[in-house]
Amino acid sequence: MTKPLIAANWKMNMTTGESVTFAKRLAEEFARLEDRDVIIAPPFTALYPVAEILRNSGIHLAAQNFHWEKGGAYTGEISAPMLCDIGCRYVLVGHSERRILFGERNEEVNKKAATALAAGLKPIVCIGETLGERESGRTFDILARQIKEGLNNISPDDIESVTLAYEPVWAIGTGKTATTEQAEEVHRFIREEIGGIFGKAKAGETAIIYGGSVKPDNIAGLMDQPDINGALVGGASLDFESFAKIIKY
Ligand code: 13P
């Protein structure tokens, strides 16, 4: 089984100064954690200084987004080689905010996942249903499609470098966490789908993490579930004490 993975997604928050202060505390308190992986995804403006602080700390750096082209006339975009160059190891792909607010479809998610892997970045591919989709009984169809299309043509050798993040849209920033049973039911389904595409052994090695109102008081229950391998934390990762409690669950 994979090591527990706790990731912070700071979204469009934190100045460079705030990010640096946070990263220094994190590196001091959690240097070389053996039994879990910790990842932080600051905004683009803070990536470089934070990378310098986290170097050799054992804490990993992720970007929140990137463009699938290597370079060229794409004003405002950042490429995978640029992220690798400054020390990013991971990148979020297909976060529901990118899908809903910026129109990313499974097709773009797939291009980004493939490009990230080719560049040596580990994609954290986010999937999840909206409230309407859940209430109309379409949760599993939506997720199956996001997995099939988002991971189209990814090789079985590469799937070990992919993390799936299940983030039910109705639980993001709402204070409504999926119950541990609801989350586990979906995580088990995701693992079965991965098994159907890449084989059972690969599915057992794939990290599937949960996101959506994860807090210090619900992390332990989530992490107790057999198919939940970690958490992708938004709001509660902006406060050092609360993120530290989640890491130490
Ligand atoms: P919250 O933890 O604020 O609900 O956000 C979850 C999320 O979107 C992480 O990517």
Side-chain angles (χ1 to χ4, degrees), residues 11 93-106 108-109 126-133 142 146 167-172 174:
K11 308 190 180 185
V93 176
H95 190 280
S96 62
E97 286 147 19
R98 304 273 343 147
R99 293 178 189 259
I100 294 166
L101 303 173
F102 302 99
E104 277 186 24
R105 299 161 304 165
N106 292 335
E108 283 85 32
V109 170
C126 304
I127 57 176
E129 81 287 3
T130 62
L131 187 59
E133 288 162 350
I142 294 291
Q146 289 175 337
E167 298 206 311
V169 178
W170 49 272
I172 295 178
T174 58

Side-chain angles (χ1 to χ4, degrees), residues 200-215:
K200 212 166 171 229
K202 296 284 181 191
E205 293 302 315
T206 303
I208 307 172
I209 65 177
Y210 171 82
S213 298
V214 173
K215 305 274 183 266

Side-chain angles (χ1 to χ4, degrees), residues 31-68:
R32 277 166 281 285
L33 270 184
E34 299 283 322
D35 60 346
R36 59 204 65 196
D37 284 323
V38 176
I39 300 173
I40 55 173
F44 282 132
T45 45
L47 283 176
Y48 182 70
V50 168
E52 295 298 296
I53 292 160
L54 296 185
R55 204 178 293 282
N56 302 322
S57 71
I59 295 162
H60 303 298
L61 186 66
Q64 298 175 17
N65 185 33
F66 73 109
H67 194 281
W68 57 83

